[in-house]
Every structure is written in C-alpha cells, then in structure tokens.
Amino acid sequence: MGLRINDTAPDFTAETTQGTINFHEWIGDGWAVLFSHPKNFTPVCTTELGTMAGLNDEFKKRNVKIIGISVDPVESHAKWEEDIKTATGFAPNYPLIGDKDLKVAKLYDMLPAESGDSSEGRTPADNATVRSVYVIGPDKKIKLVLTYPMTTGRNFDEILRAIDSIQLTAKHQVATPANWKQGEDVIITAAVSNEDAIKRFGSFETILPYLRKTKQPSA
C-alpha cells in the first residue's frame, strides 16, 4: 500500500553529498521537501536540481529544508553537479541522497520490492516512478505528494505555493481556493460558525451556504 497524506514519512539513514544523515533527525523541528529522480545525467532532472538550488532561499524563508534523492551513488552526484551548474547557473546547495541500493525508493513505494538491490544496469525508464515530491511537516507527517512523468519538468513555484497554503491552514481554520496565492482571500472551514468567524476574522462574505470567504489571516 502506498504512502498517503498524514502518514508518517518513513525514517531512514543514508549517504548524501553532505554526509550521512538520519532523515527525521535532519528534518528537526521544521519542514522538509524530499524530491526524487530516476537517474543522474538526465535532461529534465538536471534542470530541476538547478531550479531548486536557485529557490533555496525561498524555502528557507518558510523554514523548509530541501533534499534530493537520485537512484545512483553519491560519487556520481558530485560529477553531475558540474553539469547542473553549467545548464542552470546553480549548483545544488542542499544534500542529494545516493540511493544506489534502491532502499529509499522502495521505502517510499516509488519502486516495487522486486526491483532488486542495485542501481547498476538500470535505465531511467526502469526507475520512471522515482519522480515524486513529498512535503513533510514538523510532526514528520506527509502533507503533500506529487508525482510527475519523466518528460514533464516539475513546477517548484507551485510547490512553494502549496507550502504557503499548508502552513497557513495549519495555523488557522481556513482553506485556500483554486489558484490561491499568498495574500489572497481564503475560505472559512465548516468547523467555524458564523459567530465565531466574526470573532476570528472580523468579517466575511457568504458566496454559498457552505462557501464563505475572508481576508487572509496574518501569521
């Protein structure tokens, strides 16, 4: 059975480009994004790793650590980093896990158990399902899962947008509508009565009996 939202993110110990980590310990009391790649030296992933490096400060503003994983050894990652900088202008400034024995990919149900225990001889197509993004909260629970095909580069601005929503709605009894962005109106959840909504938010607009909007609460 695959991992679902609100499941505890599986813990693991792994070698990375920044040394050995224990995942839960590495996350600490903040948030984390784990994003995976099927193979080193692949074109779409090369652009993604550089894009994430360029956005690292945006993630830090949100108290989010970022960590990548690729189904190849750490030594190969170091060589790949040179290509990533050439292609994007940014070298990875976050840890990149070497998953040469496929343990983490299997632990997160990105590869089936019968996939073997080595990345040697495997092609990107063999690892095509290792293309997921996991947003993990301070409670070590999975808050968001996104999985992309190999031919579609991920939109990391959308991941930042989703984190803004998840962090906001974790603090206040609100939800965010389609295409919501930071600073826009939010939805009051059904658990909040009209009377309580006035106390909490000052005012609100009733669109439908079950859809009430208000200004975004401050942090």
Side-chain angles (χ1 to χ4, degrees):
M1 186 178 293
L3 292 171
R4 298 190 176 102
I5 289 174
N6 291 328
D7 285 349
T8 297
D11 196 14
F12 58 85
T13 299
E15 296 300 317
T16 82
T17 51
Q18 295 183 9
T20 304
I21 66 156
N22 173 272
F23 189 49
H24 282 191
E25 185 178 297
W26 177 83
I27 293 173
D29 58 2
W31 296 70
V33 170
L34 172 68
F35 64 108
S36 63
H37 304 273
K39 194 76 178 168
N40 289 3
F41 305 103
T42 52
V44 174
C45 294
T46 298
T47 67
E48 291 175 334
L49 286 161
T51 298
M52 277 298 261
L55 290 171
N56 202 358
D57 286 346
E58 289 298 317
F59 285 95
K60 284 181 179 178
K61 286 178 189 176
R62 295 159 171 83
N63 194 26
V64 179
K65 291 181 176 180
I66 56 179
I67 187 167
I69 174 174
S70 183
V71 181
D72 270 315
V74 169
E75 307 81 61
S76 175
H77 295 350
K79 296 176 183 176
W80 191 19
E81 287 180 354
E82 297 173 13
D83 286 358
I84 293 164
K85 186 172 182 180
T86 298
T88 68
F90 296 98
N93 46 15
Y94 48 83
L96 186 59
I97 297 164
D99 195 30
K100 63 181 181 180
D101 55 9
L102 313 181
K103 286 184 178 177
V104 179
K106 291 180 184 178
L107 188 64
Y108 276 73
D109 200 41
M110 293 182 283
L111 286 176
E114 60 270 20
S115 297
D117 57 6
S118 174
S119 62
E120 287 293 323
R122 295 180 65 85
T123 68
D126 294 328
N127 305 328
T129 50
V130 188
R131 287 278 296 158
S132 294
V133 179
Y134 303 88
V135 175
I136 300 161
D139 57 0
K140 312 304 183 289
K141 302 286 188 183
I142 294 171
K143 308 299 182 182
L144 175 75
V145 182
L146 295 169
T147 302
Y148 287 72
M150 287 196 299
T151 51
T152 301
R154 286 171 270 202
N155 184 335
F156 292 104
D157 288 330
E158 162 59 13
I159 293 167
L160 284 168
R161 187 197 76 88
I163 289 169
D164 285 342
S165 171
I166 293 165
Q167 291 184 339
L168 176 70
T169 58
K171 291 180 180 178
H172 304 278
Q173 285 186 294
V174 297
T176 57
N179 298 328
W180 174 88
K181 294 188 290 293
Q182 189 71 261
E184 295 181 348
D185 288 356
V186 298
I187 294 168
I188 302 169
T189 64
V192 179
S193 68
N194 287 342
E195 294 76 14
D196 196 20
I198 292 171
K199 292 177 185 176
R200 286 171 180 262
F201 310 115
S203 63
F204 62 88
E205 179 185 4
T206 300
I207 311 297
L208 294 165
Y210 53 86
L211 175 57
R212 298 166 296 167
K213 286 190 172 183
T214 190
K215 298 294 182 187
Q216 177 181 324
S218 60

